[in-house]
Amino acid sequence: MRPKRFFLHRPKNLDEALALKARHGDEAAFHAGGTELLVALKAHVLRYEHVIDLKQVDELKGVRLDADHTIVIGALATHDTIANHPIVRERLPGYAELSENVANIRVRVAGTLGGVLCFGEPHADAPTMLSALDAWVVLAGPKGVREVPSRDFHLGEFTTARDEDEILVSINIAPQSRGTRSAYRAFGHTERPAVGVAAVWSTDNPQRLSLWAGAISSRPVRLARAEQAASDIPHGLDAEQTWGRLKDAVAADAASIEAHDDLHGGADYKRHLVSVLAGRAIRACIS
């Protein structure tokens, strides 16, 4: 099915893109990779008179290190670019591995990180890992620039903290200490995860675990009991010993998640997956 006709705009910079949106208002939508928006337009689920293509806006491109070694991922960075970028592979190998396994090669080459975050699809991989990594997004709009923690960016299904007239500029991740490891494990019957779990394990003093589950709910969910239990585990235990001390807390967290039956599986099945995948992600961090 073809989308209905629309005017395509290709601004050269951020100011021009924001001005186009201000001019056309609700009749316009921003377009990045297109793997979500164009599908919705072709299915006539969404309808816009104007589409603002952001691919030529240099401020949204690339991956770099800031002066304080914060990792800055431009909103237009594709999953394939992130998976193979030397900065990400060296400093965030767990996130590089996640990007390497997103959907299929067509989506990885065309789909952008900013696009998938702004679309707000709950069955996505990146939001879960970015929440666990304490990442934050930078938004630019008519009122200026603001920052939003990744864990607060997703408000529900297809709903985010981004205002309609704002553009997501970058996704920022603070420097990781030498004692920090991250891993993401997911399972699904389609190219989208039924459940995904991200773990970030730090052996610094104090020891810390950041553990989040995604796709099971309308937004990433923090597994707080497991995080608290991790702070009481003695240093030096191996992966199996550590998991033995955490699995009851993870199971309690999983049981409390509000899930529902859908095409990705039954609610109880998905809660069970949370425990299984959390065990795999935590073991991967420690081993």
Side-chain angles (χ1 to χ4, degrees), residues 63-72 87 91 136 172-175:
V63 178
R64 70 177 192 274
L65 286 178
D66 268 357
D68 63 353
H69 296 282
T70 294
I71 300 170
V72 180
I87 290 176
R91 296 171 181 262
W136 65 97
N172 296 6
I173 304 169

Side-chain angles (χ1 to χ4, degrees), residues 1-114:
M1 187 180 297
R2 292 184 178 182
K4 294 184 178 180
R5 289 177 178 269
F6 55 79
F7 293 95
L8 180 65
H9 305 270
R10 288 177 171 160
K12 297 293 192 298
N13 55 59
L14 202 55
D15 289 339
E16 187 180 342
L18 292 171
L20 282 166
K21 177 63 176 172
R23 185 184 311 157
H24 299 293
D26 294 339
E27 294 184 348
F30 294 119
H31 161 54
T35 58
E36 303 280 13
L37 177 63
L38 290 183
V39 171
L41 290 175
K42 289 178 180 178
H44 295 183
V45 174
L46 296 176
R47 172 79 172 102
Y48 292 102
E49 292 289 335
H50 301 267
V51 172
I52 304 169
D53 187 344
L54 300 173
K55 292 189 184 69
Q56 298 183 54
V57 179
D58 288 339
E59 298 102 309
L60 310 181
K61 297 179 181 179
V63 178
R64 70 177 192 274
L65 286 178
D66 268 357
D68 63 353
H69 296 282
T70 294
I71 300 170
V72 180
I73 303 174
L76 289 182
T78 66
H79 305 296
D80 185 66
T81 296
I82 296 167
N84 293 288
H85 199 283
I87 290 176
V88 182
R89 295 191 72 86
E90 177 188 353
R91 296 171 181 262
L92 292 172
Y95 189 66
E97 182 183 7
L98 178 156
S99 298
E100 203 166 28
N101 290 285
V102 167
N104 56 55
I105 186 62
R106 181 189 66 81
V107 171
R108 290 193 293 274
V109 169
T112 63
L113 178 55

